[in-house]
Amino acid sequence: MTKYTDIGVETHGHVGLIEIRKPPLNFFDVALINQIADALEEFDNNIEIRASVLAAQGKAFCAGANFGDPARQEQEERAKSDPASNLPINHLYVQAVRIFRNKKPIVAAIHGAAIGGGFGLAVSADFRVACPEARFSANFTKLGFHPGFGLTATLPELIGKNNAELMFYTSRRVTGEEAYRWGLANVLVPQDQVRDAAMKLAQEIAECSPLGLVSTRATMRAGLADRVLAATNHELAEQTKLRATEDFKEGVKATAERRVANFKGR
């Protein structure tokens, strides 16, 4: 198997396990999303693997992008004067679309927060196992930003257009219990049982015929990756515009300082 730096990859019978290893918050970048996509492709090419589990170390499942990272802040400044310099984020979405093109079912084990793009990653899976402590948030508008990672295409399909709008417009954190009621989480268990329950669901899937699984999933997810590609292209254009605003700068600062932002609409 390929050598990975930000994830661990294991096989358990007919189930593959991908573990994000950037604790405590598992902030993502292009490298992490690329490695997850690579691991899923390896599973696709391994006839023994029929389903996979995406889990994480640390406190959060994935807290999204680290807007406080100095390298990212430097990139934001460059993006204001040179839109072409925004390629790393574009490239991140290219990797994200690769995840949606994989062929076998994925169960996400959400033991903590799935925020922003990390929420988008959780939604890319076929199923989510959560716990009362899990938190799901599309917090983009609180950052003065536009949703990304294909969520404008994937979330309405999963929880309905109006619930998706509610999450987008409020940026609220949805609890594990509420996520379970909405169908955002398929299984709700105590926090210390999340990974075991995710493995159990993946193993149940893996008892079915591999050819039948791949064929049926291709039918159920027909066109999804292309819809996500179109969505991320639009999301990126909106994010690029909003990244240059005073409100975005204030939203990121307010989030880092854990206070309500003082937005001005410019």
Side-chain angles (χ1 to χ4, degrees), residues 149-171:
F149 212 92
L151 277 165
T152 55
T154 57
L155 192 60
E157 288 191 15
L158 186 61
I159 62 172
K161 182 171 181 281
N162 205 219
N163 282 332
E165 289 166 339
L166 186 65
M167 290 192 74
F168 289 147
Y169 301 168
T170 64
S171 282

Side-chain angles (χ1 to χ4, degrees), residues 38-179:
D38 283 351
L40 289 170
E41 283 184 4
E42 284 196 12
F43 291 159
D44 277 350
N45 294 328
N46 182 344
I47 197 166
E48 292 300 317
I49 299 299
R50 299 176 188 173
S52 60
V53 169
L54 178 61
Q57 290 181 345
K59 183 181 177 185
F61 169 75
C62 178
N66 184 7
F67 289 102
D69 177 38
R72 188 180 183 96
Q73 289 172 343
E74 184 183 326
Q75 181 192 320
E76 307 293 358
E77 289 303 313
R78 283 203 314 273
K80 288 178 186 176
S81 55
D82 178 14
S85 73
N86 194 37
L87 286 175
I89 292 182
N90 186 20
H91 189 52
L92 190 149
Y93 286 160
V94 169
Q95 302 305 324
V97 173
R98 285 180 61 212
I99 291 174
F100 285 94
R101 292 203 190 281
N102 87 296
K103 297 181 177 70
K104 298 173 183 177
I106 306 167
V107 180
I110 314 294
H111 71 284
I115 308 295
F119 179 42
L121 180 62
V123 171
S124 73
D126 299 73
F127 307 106
R128 280 145 297 283
V129 175
C131 57
E133 294 83 359
R135 295 292 180 270
F136 299 88
S137 177
N139 68 332
F140 303 91
T141 51
K142 255 195 182 139
L143 290 166
F145 212 33
H146 185 284
F149 212 92
L151 277 165
T152 55
T154 57
L155 192 60
E157 288 191 15
L158 186 61
I159 62 172
K161 182 171 181 281
N162 205 219
N163 282 332
E165 289 166 339
L166 186 65
M167 290 192 74
F168 289 147
Y169 301 168
T170 64
S171 282
R172 70 168 60 163
R173 291 191 169 213
V174 171
T175 66
E177 290 103 329
E178 192 170 10

Side-chain angles (χ1 to χ4, degrees), residues 250-265:
E250 165 62 9
V252 171
K253 191 166 185 284
T255 299
E257 295 171 0
R258 296 181 178 275
R259 60 174 173 80
V260 175
N262 182 23
F263 292 125
K264 303 288 191 185

